[in-house]
Amino acid sequence: MATFSLRDALLYDHLADDQVRCNLCAHRCVIKDSGRGICRVRENHEGRLYTRVYGNLIAQNVDPIEKKPLYHFYPGSMAYSIATPGCNFRCEWCQNWQISQMPRLMTLPDRRRLQPEAIVESALATGSASIAYTYTEPTIFFEYSFDVSKLAHEAGVKNVYVSNGFMTPEMIDLYHPWLDAANVDIKAFKDETYRKLMGGRLEPVLESCRRLKAAGVWLEVTTLIVPGVNDDPEELQALAAFIYDDLGPETPWHLSRFYPQYKMTAKNPTEQAILTETKAMGEEMGLDYIYIGNVAGVYATRCKNCGQDLIVRSGYQTRIVGLDAEGTCTQCGVRLDGVGIRGG
Ligand code: SF4
């Protein structure tokens, strides 16, 4: 382990007067000498861009892959889950705001840097099938996740991003050979909501989803339904249509229940009826796999052809019940969409 320090950043352009343009996320910040970008984790020194969070871990846990959530990617496996501080958004309902907003709120603690090899060793030692870059926005710690990802693949471990999707095409083009799966939040389907409540924009997120899918990365989408923010049925219908038309009906859609958080403590939790109605609407439109999240209960992945239960989940307990060793339905023989699906 080495002492925490600045580390050269990737993906930026030199501009006049020692300014730089960061091309990692869709903000494309133009940063003056001695300045920082919107995320507050990338800073310019004399025309050279650095990251402040390389190896500066703020969280490490072994989580069920279902917690990401990814339901069609090595179901029942564990994901070694890591984060460094920071985010390029500032969502008012963020459940991890203490670490996602840390670079904006306080001086970053001067920790010791954990080298990528140590993460892969921990993943192997804990029997994790994948490493998940999660909790905060992994785009913001791209250089670190990229180095960990390359070593992970050499060791036979998969890589998973849990992201707001506000990345640039250049980043996806550079990274996708090492990225096996992603869960991308589509947090609303109105650009105005992205601008006002998150400090982002909608279209770059949609473009990332299209690009990840086209690159062969297994993609699942999550929408946290927040009362009064994105629960208009027409908006949710438009979002479902985007998933169907642009990403494909086999793309799982996770509808998560909101609980009061951060700057939105005055709101009530999402009514369960809205979640079930949205699920029914999406299924009516032809989406194959829609899941309700943040609500206790037993939930199944059903065969899209015959409706047989294939995988049953209660909390984070996962049982594969209707699949053969090739991952096809034991009743009708149609294959379950996903990666790493096996019977048992
Ligand atoms: S990662 Fe995004 S927010 Fe951070 S400096 Fe680069 S463009 Fe700006």
Side-chain angles (χ1 to χ4, degrees):
M1 297 210 298
T3 304
F4 167 64
S5 60
L6 296 177
R7 179 84 173 218
D8 276 305
L10 298 170
L11 293 167
Y12 67 98
D13 295 325
H14 296 272
L15 305 175
D17 302 323
D18 276 346
Q19 296 186 101
V20 299
R21 180 189 299 108
C22 176
N23 296 316
L24 182 56
C25 93
H27 284 308
R28 294 193 191 271
C29 299
V30 173
I31 309 171
K32 291 181 182 166
D33 187 15
S34 301
R36 290 180 184 153
I38 288 171
C39 60
R40 316 297 294 165
V41 307
R42 296 164 84 74
E43 62 185 39
N44 175 5
H45 289 283
E46 299 177 343
R48 199 162 163 177
L49 189 63
Y50 297 88
T51 170
R52 304 169 65 211
V53 295
Y54 189 99
N56 186 359
L57 286 196
I58 197 80
Q60 294 179 74
N61 296 298
V62 181
D63 288 338
I65 192 75
E66 284 74 16
K67 194 174 177 182
K68 303 301 115 192
L70 283 167
Y71 280 11
H72 292 239
F73 185 81
Y74 292 88
S77 69
M78 291 294 160
Y80 196 79
S81 302
I82 62 170
T84 71
C87 189
N88 47 359
F89 279 10
R90 45 171 176 71
C91 305
E92 298 196 355
W93 50 83
C94 182
Q95 61 180 2
N96 289 327
W97 65 271
Q98 292 95 336
I99 56 175
S100 72
Q101 302 303 310
M102 184 181 272
R104 293 193 175 105
L105 300 175
M106 62 176 77
T107 305
L108 281 184
D110 188 13
R111 306 169 199 284
R112 292 175 70 76
R113 180 191 295 161
L114 204 55
Q115 295 298 338
E117 291 81 359
I119 301 297
V120 177
E121 282 167 16
S122 297
L124 290 170
T126 54
S128 301
S130 58
I131 296 172
Y133 310 90
T134 181
Y135 308 131
T136 59
E137 175 50 46
T139 303
I140 297 309
F141 60 95
F142 173 61
E143 287 79 7
Y144 188 59
S145 63
F146 193 26
D147 286 350
V148 174
S149 295
K150 289 184 222 169
L151 291 175
H153 267 200
E154 285 174 17
V157 177
K158 307 295 182 192
N159 296 300
V160 166
Y161 253 41
V162 181
S163 173
N164 62 25
F166 201 64
M167 43 193 66
T168 57
E170 299 97 293
M171 183 200 140
I172 294 173
D173 290 350
L174 179 61
Y175 185 38
H176 75 77
W178 289 273
L179 183 61
D180 301 288
N183 186 303
V184 173
D185 275 345
I186 302 181
K187 296 169 186 273
F189 210 63
K190 288 182 180 164
D191 191 60
E192 186 189 6
T193 311
Y194 265 87
R195 286 177 189 270
K196 275 190 183 166
L197 299 181
M198 305 170 220
R201 284 174 285 124
L202 172 62
E203 183 50 41
V205 176
L206 303 184
E207 182 52 27
S208 292
C209 289
R210 295 185 195 103
R211 213 170 184 94
L212 287 165
K213 190 87 184 187
V217 175
W218 176 256
L219 180 67
E220 304 194 15
V221 170
T222 293
T223 304
L224 179 78
I225 299 187
V226 184
V229 171
N230 60 0
D231 58 350
D232 170 26
E234 280 185 25
E235 181 178 351
L236 291 165
Q237 200 164 16
L239 204 169
F242 166 78
I243 296 173
Y244 186 93
D245 292 336
D246 287 44
L247 308 180
E250 76 286 358
T251 306
W253 189 22
H254 300 265
L255 304 170
S256 281
R257 188 180 196 201
F258 162 85
Y259 287 94
Q261 300 276 357
Y262 190 30
K263 294 182 180 175
M264 279 201 174
T265 49
K267 277 192 186 291
N268 290 323
T270 319
E271 287 178 24
Q272 294 199 29
I274 293 176
L275 298 166
T276 51
E277 285 162 19
T278 306
K279 182 175 189 293
M281 174 274 292
E283 287 169 347
E284 181 74 16
M285 290 178 71
L287 295 180
D288 292 326
Y289 311 107
I290 304 181
Y291 302 103
I292 290 174
N294 283 352
V295 179
V298 178
Y299 297 99
T301 294
R302 296 200 171 89
C303 175
K304 65 181 180 183
N305 182 52
C306 72
Q308 173 176 239
D309 283 0
L310 303 178
I311 304 174
V312 177
R313 301 174 194 84
S314 175
Y316 294 125
Q317 299 292 318
T318 299
R319 280 188 307 124
I320 296 177
V321 295
L323 290 169
D324 65 17
E326 275 73 51
T328 58
C329 174
T330 53
Q331 184 163 275
C332 72
V334 166
R335 185 171 167 70
L336 175 61
D337 296 295
V339 177
I341 312 271
R342 289 190 171 72

